[in-house]
Amino acid sequence: MHSMHMHQCYYEACNADPDCLQYCPIIPLHGRSVETNLEKTKWTDVEFKLFTSSNIDSATDFNYNFQFEDLQHSEFVETAKVKFIIHGFFTAYSENNWLGSMKNKLIKDKPFNYNVFVVNWPKFAITLNYLAAKHDTETVGNALAEFIFKLCNFSSLKSSDIHLIGHSLGAHIAGFAGNALKKKGLIIGRITGLDPAGPLFKYDDGTRRLDRFDAAYVENLHTGIGDFIGNGYGFAKPLGDIDFFINGGFAQPDCSLWNLPRNILKYGWVEGFANTYACNHMFAYVLMLEDTEQFSENCQLVGFQCNNYRDYRGGKCNDCGSNGKACAVISLFGEDDRNSGQGYVEPQSSYASIKVYLDTLKKPPYCAQNYAIEIKLAKNSEVPNGKFELTLEGTYFGSARKFVINKDFSIEQDDRKFSCLVQLDKNLGKVTKATIRLYYGIYDLAVFFSKPKIIIDHLNVKYLSNIDKRIRNAWSASMCAEESKTNELINFVPCTYER
C-alpha cells in the first residue's frame, strides 16, 4: 500500500483509552450503542474483496476486523477513491457474473482512479428464506460501516470519496452502512441503488431501508418495481435525491416469461429461472454496465423530470430547467465527469426526491436517440383526427439521415398541441426538412365527404439524449410550414425566427 499512515490512537487501544473513543467505531443497532457478540460473530462472515489496477484478477480479502498492517501490505492505493459493489439476494461474487464485470469496468475504464471492494455475503444471501436475508441486510450493512470506519482511520481516505453501489438487497445494505456511519460523523459521498429490493421493505421507514439521507447524494435505478414474484422485485417509490424510472420502471427489453425455455437451455434450470423471473430486476445493473463507447453519436442515458410516465411518453417533459437540475444522466463515474452524474457534483438542495424517466432501445447498446416532437395548430385550424406520418430529414456531419414516424393524432384541446416521444437508433443531426402526411381510416366517413382544414403553426423537434445543453440545442429545430395546395401533405423548413 502506498503512502499509508497510522492514526495516533490505535483501534485496539480504544476501549482502554477514553480519549480515543471518538475514533472507536461503535455502530448503533436498534438504539443500542454497543454491538452484541452475536452481531460481531456474524460480521466475520462478510468478505471485502479488494481489486485495483495492480491486482485486477486476484482479490485481496479483508474482513471487518482487519489490522493496519493488513492494509499497509495490500494493493490499496491511498490516493485513489473507493467504490464498493454489493450484491443482492441469492447471489455471491464470481468473476463471471455482473460483480466481476462491474469491477473490471471500473478499473479498466479508469485505471488507477479507484480501489474497488466487492462486498461478498453469500452465507446470508444464498438461502430460500428471503425474510432471513432481508433481516441480515442490517447486519451486513453494519459490518460494512465498521470496515469503512477503520479504512478511513487507517488511511487519508475521505468518506466523501466513497461510492456504494448495491443491487436489490445490496442497495439497502448500502443504506444501513451510510446511516450507521452518519452517526459517527462520516457522510458517504454517493450511493447508487440498482433496483432496490421492494418485498417486505414497502412499509419500513427510512431508518429501516435505503433513503436519501444515507449519503451526500443518493441515486436509484428502478427497473422491476413490484411486491414479489410475477410483478417485480423492486421498490416502487423514490428513495433518493434522483430516482431514474427506466422504461417506466417495469417493462425492460427482452424480459418476457415466454423466454423461460430459451433461458433454461442457455443457462440451466436455476439461472434460467432467475434470468426469466428476475429479468426486469437485473436490468438495472445490465444498463449500468453498458459500454458508453458503443453508444452512437454523443448519446447519453439522460432522464427527464416528469410527473408520470404517461407524460414522459407524451413528450411533455423535455427541458432540463433553468438550473439544469430537471434532468440527470446515468453514469458509474459521475464524480469524475462534469457531464455525468451532475446531481452528485452539485448535490440537490431540495428535500424532495426527483423522479426522472428514461426510455431505452429494445436491444444493446440501449442508449436511444430520444426526441420530443411537438405539433402546434394555428388558432384558425380545425382539429384533426386519424393518423399522420412524419418524415424527418437531416444531416449528421455530412451524412444524410431520414426517419419516418407514424402516430395517431391526439390533440390537447386546451393548447391545441400534439406531442410525443420518438426513439431513433441514430442521431438525426441538423434537421433540414420535415413532412407531415395526414391520412384517415376507411371508416372515417365524415372525413370522406368533408376533410378538416388543418393549419399547423409550427413543428418543434427537441433532441433529448445529451446532458450538455449546447449539444441538445445543436440537434434541435423549430420548423415552419410552407404553403401547401393540399390539406393532406404539409412541408416544413427551419424557421427563420425563433418560435
Side-chain angles (χ1 to χ4, degrees), residues 135-181:
H135 174 77
D136 284 326
T137 56
E138 184 173 12
T139 297
V140 180
N142 286 325
L144 173 57
E146 179 93 342
F147 181 83
I148 291 173
F149 190 92
K150 293 182 69 174
L151 194 63
C152 290
N153 277 299
F154 285 169
S155 72
S156 61
L157 176 67
K158 296 182 293 186
S159 60
S160 59
D161 287 333
I162 296 174
H163 179 194
L164 309 182
I165 305 165
H167 175 245
S168 190
L169 289 180
H172 297 296
I173 289 172
F176 281 121
N179 187 48
L181 286 165

Side-chain angles (χ1 to χ4, degrees), residues 60-227:
T60 299
D61 291 340
F62 295 86
N63 61 25
Y64 84 96
N65 61 353
F66 72 101
Q67 304 302 310
F68 170 73
E69 291 77 12
D70 299 327
L71 195 64
Q72 187 179 36
H73 296 122
S74 74
E75 294 82 3
F76 185 83
V77 182
E78 192 172 4
T79 56
K81 297 178 180 180
V82 175
K83 289 184 183 280
F84 288 85
I85 310 171
I86 315 165
H87 65 78
F89 182 59
F90 219 80
T91 312
Y93 169 76
S94 167
E95 187 66 22
N96 298 318
N97 64 14
W98 75 271
L99 295 153
S101 298
M102 185 168 288
K103 173 262 297 183
N104 290 335
K105 180 177 178 62
L106 286 167
I107 296 174
K108 291 179 179 179
D109 285 11
K110 300 282 185 178
F112 308 107
N113 281 32
Y114 301 114
N115 299 288
V116 177
F117 286 95
V118 175
V119 181
N120 198 35
W121 55 289
K123 187 167 183 179
F124 309 112
I126 299 180
T127 174
L128 296 178
N129 188 345
Y130 175 82
L131 179 62
K134 188 257 186 186
H135 174 77
D136 284 326
T137 56
E138 184 173 12
T139 297
V140 180
N142 286 325
L144 173 57
E146 179 93 342
F147 181 83
I148 291 173
F149 190 92
K150 293 182 69 174
L151 194 63
C152 290
N153 277 299
F154 285 169
S155 72
S156 61
L157 176 67
K158 296 182 293 186
S159 60
S160 59
D161 287 333
I162 296 174
H163 179 194
L164 309 182
I165 305 165
H167 175 245
S168 190
L169 289 180
H172 297 296
I173 289 172
F176 281 121
N179 187 48
L181 286 165
K182 186 169 62 175
K183 294 174 182 178
K184 286 293 296 177
L186 295 182
I187 306 298
I188 293 295
R190 180 186 179 196
I191 291 177
T192 299
L194 302 175
D195 208 32
L200 304 183
F201 286 96
K202 183 177 181 179
Y203 299 106
D204 288 342
D205 63 32
T207 64
R208 311 300 309 143
R209 55 164 172 77
L210 174 65
D211 80 352
R212 67 185 301 268
F213 301 106
D214 292 331
Y217 175 67
V218 178
E219 63 187 345
N220 296 290
L221 276 64
H222 299 266
T223 58
I225 58 178
D227 291 323

Side-chain angles (χ1 to χ4, degrees), residues 8 22 28 64 94 116 122-123 142 186 194 202 237 250 285 313 324 336 358 421 435 437-438 449 451-452 487:
Q8 289 181 344
Q22 60 178 316
Y64 84 96
S94 167
V116 177
K123 187 167 183 179
N142 286 325
L186 295 182
L194 302 175
K202 183 177 181 179
K237 294 182 179 180
F250 50 84
Y285 60 71
R313 290 289 302 164
D336 289 328
L358 165 66
L421 182 74
T435 302
R437 182 184 299 275
L438 305 176
F449 293 104
K451 294 180 180 178
N487 202 30

